[in-house]
Amino acid sequence: MDMQTWRNGREQAVNAAEAIRAALATLGVPESTWSGIRPTVTHNGHPYVHMGMLPAQVVEQIAEALRLPSAP
């Protein structure tokens, strides 16, 4: 893996982590609950978001939001 592959993976992971943080904030979930969400990149450059442990109630909120029909 070259450095550019890692950088690209890191950028994608950071963007995804920021997106889920923003979505949780929109749901009214306090930052203290999702502060452990962090971007990570594997040794071969694959982007991931580590979400850690979330309270069951928050996961239920996420699931409910995912079930909502999208706006036209």
Side-chain angles (χ1 to χ4, degrees):
M1 173 188 66
D2 64 7
M3 194 57 156
Q4 190 59 48
T5 300
W6 187 90
R7 284 186 187 122
N8 291 344
R10 177 72 180 169
E11 181 179 3
Q12 188 176 0
V14 166
N15 291 341
E18 288 175 357
I20 194 67
R21 288 177 189 137
L24 291 171
T26 299
L27 288 174
V29 178
E31 183 177 352
S32 60
T33 301
W34 49 261
S35 62
I37 293 175
R38 64 184 186 279
T40 190
V41 182
T42 64
H43 67 281
N44 55 1
H46 292 117
Y48 285 88
V49 176
H50 178 77
M51 295 180 65
M53 288 182 27
L54 296 171
Q57 180 181 3
V58 171
V59 175
E60 288 173 355
Q61 283 181 274
I62 294 168
E64 183 63 30
L66 290 171
R67 285 191 288 266
L68 292 175
S70 58

